[in-house]
Amino acid sequence: MHAPSTLQRPPAPRLIGRVNGRGLWTLYVKEVRRFLNVFTQTLLAPMITTLLFLAIFTLALGRSVQQVGGVGFAQFLAPGLIVMAMVQNAFANTSSSIVISKVQGNIVDLLMPPLSPWELTLGVAGGGVTRGLLVGFVVGLGMSLFVPLSIHAPLFVLYHAVNASLMLALLGMIGGIWAERFDHIAAVTNFVITPFSFLSGTFYSIERLPESWHFVALLNPFFYVIDGFRYGFIGHADGSLLVGVLLMAAVNLGLWTLAHRMIATGYRLKP
Amino acid sequence: MSGAAGPPAPRRFGAVNWRGLRTLVWRGVWRYFKMAWHTLGGPCISSLLLLAVFVLAAGGAGQMAPGIALAEFLVPGIVMFQLAHAAFENAAFPVLDDKLEGMIGDILAAPLSPLEILAGYVLPAVTSGLMTGMAILGLGWLFADLRLHDLGALMGFALAAALLFALLGTFIGLWADRWEHYAMAENFVILPLGFLSGTFFTLSSLPEAARPLIALNPVFHAVGGVRYALTGYAETALFPGALLLGGPILFLWFLVWRLFATGYKIKP
């Protein structure tokens, strides 16, 4: 009756090094494929919407607003619109991924595998950053057909593109973990993300604001995102570039810590 | 005795099943109110944002056309844009949701004629569009110096735009097989129709070649009509515009009615 003792021994646990490279990569690829599958909605639609914004703004104001920040109105507008599309899509990617998983219950497939909290954070946020960067690229490509875009400082463009996408990808994760229904995250998008991305200098120079509002604008991280990214294209910034670079790094560090903490403690993720 | 044993007599309806129609319409309107946070709050916020960024971006240079300030020019446009969008959304979404969730069977099984089903989807969407438009007009009135010039034109053009987009939404809801199709129609048809319609710019700011094209867009005429009604400023004659709205409405009404009657994509 007794089976050979070798069969009774449980299988040895699989050894994973310091980093579960395969797991992390699988999660990242899953997050990227999730949006590439519906690329008409996730890449083409943002491009069309952004080009429509460019069209209506230049048609409506192109004649009366000749110069902003030392360049033509369209050149001023284009980088802001690109980065606006990037941040909105980075946020949409991570927030929808987590909320859908939570509502449908397949979030356990994320929590069960041998992935540490920081690997989960990196994998999901990486998907959002990739979506942001791809949207930025596609929108930029579309815009370059209509507006002469020249890059003044490529490193600034890259730094702000990556950090802006990361900031909103992390915010999307935090929002997605916090939200319990689709309504919650739609409300965050409608009442927080869209207003911030609209009112942070995409469409106008900060000098247009009443004097007393300058101070408020300078406290807004979104302002530095747009301002620094635009500086990379047109070589003119409204605020301080150094403050922007440091602030974005600090904000991202803070958001990363928060998202990591939420996943590690299982806030609204684990029963 | 023998009367009680027989089967119950079939319920009689007049020419129109009023109670059925009322139930269906109320279901749609109630859905709008239940989600007012999104169906009403979202458009209000985005309208105010659009208005704010336009006014800020224009700086002091705020005259769109002789004698009409930027905000006065924009508010009617934004109202109509949101009205059309809401009418579309509140028609396409319920139709597709009912279809994908299988609830459409409950409506097809009810003693409702195709025309009554059509009205049951279209009327709540029209109501939703008009309510959204009214709310935004109320908000816009706070920021723009609008004066009512022509109540008839205001109501007529608003109703026509709501009807047109509610019918369009019903059609898209019937045609779409997945949510992705709905999003495609919204992103690639409805938004361009709404944005490239003179909502935000004057006809004279367009290149010469694009002007006849935009005149084919029904939204352009709806926006023009309402802008005239609220500011007294008209870029084109109202009458041919009214025809360009009425023609597609009749055509779509007939088309969608036939689709419901033949059970296109809703009956096995």
Side-chain angles (χ1 to χ4, degrees), chain B residues 69-97:
Chain B
L70 181 65
E72 286 160 48
F73 183 87
L74 286 178
V75 167
I78 294 176
V79 166
M80 290 308 281
F81 171 70
Q82 297 286 10
L83 177 148
H85 191 243
F88 172 82
E89 211 169 50
N90 287 292
F93 190 98
V95 173
L96 186 55
D97 195 37

Side-chain angles (χ1 to χ4, degrees), chain A residues 41 45 48 56 60 191 203 208, chain B residues 45 56-57 180 187-188 195 200:
Chain A
Q41 272 181 74
I48 298 290
I56 58 173
F191 300 114
F203 300 98
R208 285 282 159 76
Chain B
I45 293 285
L56 282 170
E180 202 189 338
N187 284 316
F188 301 124
F195 273 136
F200 302 100

Side-chain angles (χ1 to χ4, degrees), chain A residues 148-177:
Chain A
L149 286 176
S150 58
I151 296 183
H152 173 78
L155 277 180
F156 261 90
V157 173
L158 194 66
Y159 178 86
H160 283 86
V162 172
N163 274 289
S165 303
L166 182 61
M167 186 190 293
L168 272 289
L170 289 169
L171 272 176
M173 285 184 77
I174 294 166
I177 293 172

Side-chain angles (χ1 to χ4, degrees), chain B residues 101-118:
Chain B
E101 300 289 326
M103 287 178 291
I104 197 104
D106 298 348
I107 288 159
L108 295 174
L112 290 161
S113 69
L115 207 54
E116 285 159 352
I117 297 178
L118 168 62

Side-chain angles (χ1 to χ4, degrees), chain A residues 138-224:
Chain A
V138 171
V139 171
L141 217 56
M143 291 228 162
S144 62
L145 298 176
F146 302 98
V147 182
L149 286 176
S150 58
I151 296 183
H152 173 78
L155 277 180
F156 261 90
V157 173
L158 194 66
Y159 178 86
H160 283 86
V162 172
N163 274 289
S165 303
L166 182 61
M167 186 190 293
L168 272 289
L170 289 169
L171 272 176
M173 285 184 77
I174 294 166
I177 293 172
W178 166 80
E180 281 168 330
R181 296 197 312 265
F182 288 113
D183 312 21
H184 293 161
I185 204 66
V188 174
T189 308
N190 274 335
F191 300 114
V192 182
I193 301 299
T194 315
F196 264 110
S197 57
F198 262 68
L199 296 177
S200 304
T202 305
F203 300 98
Y204 48 83
S205 167
I206 190 176
E207 286 136 36
R208 285 282 159 76
L209 290 174
E211 202 67 50
S212 50
W213 282 85
H214 281 198
F215 171 69
V216 179
L218 291 176
L219 289 176
N220 176 359
F222 278 55
F223 164 75
Y224 292 98

Side-chain angles (χ1 to χ4, degrees), chain B residues 11-238:
Chain B
R11 253 178 70 198
R12 282 174 199 286
F13 303 106
V16 178
N17 178 357
W18 286 114
R19 172 177 291 192
L21 181 58
R22 201 177 60 211
T23 311
L24 206 51
V25 170
W26 182 240
R27 163 181 178 263
V29 174
W30 180 237
R31 197 189 139 273
Y32 176 86
F33 280 123
K34 233 173 30 187
M35 311 206 303
W37 189 239
H38 299 293
T39 50
L40 198 55
C44 283
I45 293 285
S46 67
S47 303
L48 287 181
L49 285 174
L50 274 173
L51 191 62
V53 295
F54 258 101
V55 171
L56 282 170
Q63 279 229 336
M64 290 302 287
I68 176 162
L70 181 65
E72 286 160 48
F73 183 87
L74 286 178
V75 167
I78 294 176
V79 166
M80 290 308 281
F81 171 70
Q82 297 286 10
L83 177 148
H85 191 243
F88 172 82
E89 211 169 50
N90 287 292
F93 190 98
V95 173
L96 186 55
D97 195 37
D98 285 358
K99 202 168 82 175
L100 294 183
E101 300 289 326
M103 287 178 291
I104 197 104
D106 298 348
I107 288 159
L108 295 174
L112 290 161
S113 69
L115 207 54
E116 285 159 352
I117 297 178
L118 168 62
Y121 278 115
V122 168
L123 293 181
V126 169
T127 318
S128 309
L130 291 178
M131 284 191 292
T132 306
M134 253 164 24
I136 294 168
L137 182 58
L139 277 177
W141 222 293
L142 301 176
F143 300 99
D145 182 25
L146 297 170
R147 258 179 295 266
L148 191 57
H149 279 256
D150 190 338
L151 184 63
L154 175 66
M155 296 202 330
F157 279 101
L159 191 63
L163 200 52
L164 178 62
F165 277 82
L167 285 165
L168 211 54
T170 314
F171 173 72
I172 294 294
L174 283 175
W175 162 80
D177 295 322
R178 296 194 301 267
W179 286 112
E180 202 189 338
H181 293 163
Y182 163 79
M184 266 166 62
E186 188 176 26
N187 284 316
F188 301 124
V189 181
I190 303 300
L191 286 184
L193 272 183
F195 273 136
L196 300 177
S197 62
T199 314
F200 302 100
F201 49 82
T202 57
L203 196 59
S204 56
S205 61
L206 275 179
E208 201 76 52
R211 287 179 204 175
L213 283 179
I214 201 173
L216 292 176
N217 181 352
V219 187
F220 170 74
H221 299 285
V223 169
V226 166
R227 185 171 287 142
Y228 164 74
L230 289 172
T231 64
Y233 168 80
E235 273 191 310
T236 49
L238 296 184

